[in-house]
Amino acid sequence: MAALGTARCLFRRYSWVKNVQKSKQMLVKCTARTLCSGTQDNALSDNTKPQFTDAAVQDLLTRITGLDLEKVFRPIKQELKPPTYKLMTDEQLEEAVELAKEQAKKMLQMPPVLPERKPIHDVLSEDQILEGMDTAKYVFTDISFSIPHRERFVVVREPNGVLRKASWEERDRLIQVYFPKEGRKLTAPLIFKEENLKMVFSQDRHEDVLDLCLVQFEPDSSDFIRVHSATYEDLDKHGKYDLLRSTRHFGGLTWFLLNARRVDALIVHMLKREQLQDAVNLVSLFHMVHPHSESAQEASSQQAAGAELLKIYAQKESQRSGYIELALQAHEQMAAKSASA
Amino acid sequence: MIRGGTTHLGIPKSMGSSRETSLLLKKYHGGYVVLRFALAGHKQANRPFYRIVAAYNKRARDGKYLEQLGSYDPLPNICNEKLVSLNFDRIKYWIGCGAHTTKPVAKLLGLAGFFPLHPMTITDAERQRAQTELTATGTEDGLLEGRKEAEV
């Protein structure tokens, strides 16, 4: 019967299809993109070096970021709605503040810091017979709804007959075409070019740039990393750390500076604002990330905590030790005065 | 008829529900499901855009279909790409249900690597190459003749 014939034909085709599918499944399975949670296990981490996603690291970074409710919930450009007023008892007010803190914590979730993604060069088949069939390439996207975007098949058939997997930029563009994400454009906005970045930094709008970058690019794309490092460099140069304090980008900034070992300016800045606890957290984070440095070994041998950590760090590692020691002395004098008074 | 009634025209009332039994029950005498192109956006002249669609064979090309399985844009975009989207999950389902494919859909699936390459794709490629060689040699001969005439 016709049904049997079609079944046989389908079976033959299915075995072919199975082989093609297997070769397509040699995709590098990247970890799915999620916002950092403290208990996430990074499959690519070394055992020796602490990664951005470790629970301890994340904890310290959240403490340094701070929780300034005024700044987190400052007016964003939104549609104008008339404000609502509610009459509350003290308890209800406390509950509302608690809720606001929870929401602020969610808004302060740090975007992930991932190593740069490696370009895709997989060729699925080379059919020289097809050479010269057309002047344009065919790009095939799989629109099945339940596949995560990282595992989607996006395949290009070139005019010379080569069937290859699409590069990361092509993938991002096509996934945006068929599964549009809010706020993302097909071509990157011109703000991410070098000259325009400089202009925006002179206007102190680093946070807006970072928010746009987060929406537009994938966290492991080269553009994302380039824009972020340019922003952090500029902030470090001018010492404008306050712009990012109590936003979700502060953790990324701190991590970048830690890996580059240029935390001195940040510690000095914190001491100026008299945020001693933050400075201590930062130094302990530094020791966690660079356990082989002199100050880390000294600290672990002396089991120091608090202001002593800062002293050890000031003596061993930093170039501006003078300022840090002065600030520490001033702090101790203040503490002594307030204790006596 | 086991499943739901039919209208007086013999078209089944519940189009989408009884695909598995449709081949046996022959509601559409000899009708079967096809995966084919349907022209979309027909209100614009000279700008074709096709939807890859699973529909009953006898239906109009742009008429009611069972499910849309993808799209095909025959005009290349800024990056010189012809965009084709295919819902492989559902295509596998329909082929498993016994749907046929038309020639252009089979060609596209062959180019994508989902099906083996269609023989007509290869033949077309060879013909295209022969054509370009002819025109290349034709222009060369024409150039040579032009130079000879210029000399003379």
Side-chain angles (χ1 to χ4, degrees):
Chain A
M1 277 211 351
L4 270 177
T6 44
R8 239 182 282 141
C9 193
L10 280 169
F11 187 69
R12 244 181 276 134
R13 282 187 179 177
Y14 177 68
S15 49
W16 208 97
V17 160
K18 240 190 343 190
N19 293 335
V20 175
Q21 290 284 320
K22 265 185 199 155
S23 57
K24 273 187 185 174
Q25 272 154 20
M26 303 292 190
L27 259 179
V28 175
K29 288 243 163 93
C30 308
T31 50
R33 173 192 173 182
T34 53
L35 293 175
C36 284
S37 59
T39 51
Q40 200 181 49
D41 186 29
N42 201 344
L44 306 167
S45 65
D46 316 331
N47 286 327
T48 47
K49 198 164 178 242
Q51 290 291 317
F52 187 68
T53 45
D54 289 345
V57 171
Q58 282 288 307
D59 188 44
L60 281 170
L61 283 175
T62 34
R63 276 188 218 210
I64 301 177
T65 311
L67 193 72
D68 187 6
L69 283 173
E70 292 287 315
K71 188 167 176 192
V72 170
F73 289 116
R74 76 178 180 284
I76 332 167
K77 274 187 191 169
Q78 274 173 353
E79 280 178 41
L80 268 182
K81 274 183 281 183
T84 51
Y85 296 99
K86 286 185 195 168
L87 197 60
M88 288 198 235
T89 58
D90 277 332
E91 290 157 352
Q92 282 173 335
L93 186 63
E94 278 169 18
E95 276 171 42
V97 168
E98 285 295 320
L99 272 174
K101 277 193 185 161
E102 292 291 315
Q103 226 185 340
K105 269 185 203 158
K106 265 196 222 162
M107 282 172 69
L108 283 182
Q109 244 181 339
M110 286 182 238
V113 174
L114 299 168
E116 195 170 329
R117 59 193 177 189
K118 296 187 184 134
I120 309 177
H121 292 305
D122 280 343
V123 167
L124 295 172
S125 93
E126 298 189 15
D127 298 309
Q128 301 299 333
I129 333 171
L130 289 181
E131 203 166 319
M133 79 176 162
D134 203 354
T135 45
K137 341 180 223 182
Y138 284 88
V139 181
F140 300 95
T141 328
D142 183 9
I143 2 179
S144 313
F145 197 64
S146 52
I147 312 183
H149 288 315
R150 290 274 158 154
E151 292 165 31
R152 231 169 247 292
F153 295 130
V154 182
V155 155
V156 177
R157 172 78 75 174
E158 301 270 349
N160 60 358
V162 159
L163 184 66
R164 62 170 174 90
K165 287 192 191 150
S167 65
W168 282 112
E169 291 81 36
E170 287 170 351
R171 277 185 71 92
D172 284 340
R173 191 159 43 91
L174 284 161
I175 289 175
Q176 177 61 14
V177 166
Y178 292 114
F179 299 96
K181 203 171 160 203
E182 207 186 307
R184 212 179 259 213
K185 315 275 177 193
L186 277 181
T187 46
L190 295 171
I191 203 174
F192 295 119
K193 297 207 169 149
E194 294 294 329
E195 319 81 42
N196 302 334
L197 275 179
K198 281 183 208 162
M199 197 193 69
V200 168
F201 292 155
S202 64
Q203 291 177 357
D204 273 359
R205 289 169 59 190
H206 302 79
E207 205 187 322
D208 300 330
V209 166
L210 287 178
D211 284 336
L212 276 173
C213 178
L214 196 63
V215 164
Q216 177 68 31
F217 299 119
E218 294 280 310
D220 50 358
S221 69
S222 53
D223 280 321
F224 184 92
I225 294 175
R226 174 182 61 88
V227 170
H228 272 253
S229 27
T231 323
Y232 295 149
E233 293 278 343
D234 189 77
L235 281 173
D236 193 32
K237 204 165 49 157
H238 299 289
K240 296 180 192 170
Y241 306 103
D242 269 343
L243 287 170
L244 285 196
R245 188 173 281 282
S246 205
T247 59
R248 60 203 301 212
H249 304 289
F250 200 75
L253 170 66
T254 333
W255 186 256
F256 178 79
L257 292 173
L258 278 171
N259 281 338
R261 285 187 163 212
R262 285 185 290 167
V263 247
D264 296 334
L266 188 53
I267 292 187
V268 163
H269 182 86
M270 279 178 185
L271 289 173
K272 270 188 204 165
R273 316 274 143 155
E274 304 200 10
Q275 286 152 336
L276 206 68
Q277 195 52 40
D278 284 344
V280 168
N281 283 341
L282 188 54
V283 175
S284 47
L285 199 56
F286 180 84
H287 292 162
M288 243 198 276
V289 171
H290 298 285
H292 302 296
S293 62
E294 297 172 350
S295 60
Q297 285 161 350
E298 182 81 27
S300 59
S301 63
Q302 288 189 5
Q303 299 284 317
E308 302 190 9
L309 262 182
L310 276 173
K311 276 187 203 159
I312 297 170
Y313 176 78
Q315 283 156 12
K316 295 285 171 181
E317 276 289 330
S318 78
Q319 278 96 30
R320 295 204 234 175
S321 50
Y323 191 89
I324 297 181
E325 281 167 5
L326 267 176
L328 274 173
Q329 279 175 358
H331 184 82
E332 280 164 20
Q333 282 173 356
M334 290 284 295
K337 269 190 204 170
S338 58
S340 60
Chain B
M1 297 290 175
I2 300 164
R3 302 277 190 109
T6 56
T7 61
H8 65 281
L9 289 172
I11 299 166
K13 266 185 192 167
S14 53
M15 281 281 281
S17 61
S18 48
R19 312 178 253 282
E20 295 83 6
T21 50
S22 68
L23 291 172
L24 300 176
L25 291 178
K26 293 192 183 199
K27 277 179 193 165
Y28 253 145
H29 281 280
Y32 49 90
V33 176
V34 237
L35 307 182
R36 64 183 182 195
F37 285 164
L39 196 62
H42 54 275
K43 304 241 165 78
Q44 275 188 355
N46 293 323
R47 187 33 177 126
F49 181 85
Y50 300 101
R51 283 184 218 172
I52 301 166
V53 133
Y56 275 115
N57 179 38
K58 295 291 186 187
R59 278 275 181 190
R61 180 197 68 187
D62 300 341
K64 191 165 161 184
Y65 49 79
L66 294 166
E67 190 179 350
Q68 182 182 353
L69 303 169
S71 62
Y72 169 52
D73 183 5
L75 299 186
N77 67 4
I78 308 180
C79 315
N80 201 26
E81 300 161 344
K82 294 187 184 176
L83 298 184
V84 181
S85 64
L86 297 161
N87 192 342
F88 287 118
D89 194 24
R90 295 303 293 170
I91 290 177
K92 282 189 229 173
Y93 169 78
W94 282 111
I95 294 179
C97 275
H100 298 215
T101 50
T102 52
K103 242 195 335 180
V105 171
K107 281 187 184 173
L108 262 194
L109 289 173
L111 281 178
F114 192 66
F115 277 4
L117 268 189
H118 199 267
M120 278 311 288
T121 327
I122 304 175
T123 320
D124 280 336
E126 285 171 357
R127 286 178 189 168
Q128 185 71 22
R129 248 176 302 172
Q131 187 70 32
T132 43
E133 276 176 24
L134 249 185
T135 46
T137 49
T139 45
E140 273 180 30
D141 288 338
L143 279 172
L144 283 170
E145 282 174 15
R147 273 186 220 151
K148 278 182 194 165
E149 286 177 18
E151 284 169 20
V152 167

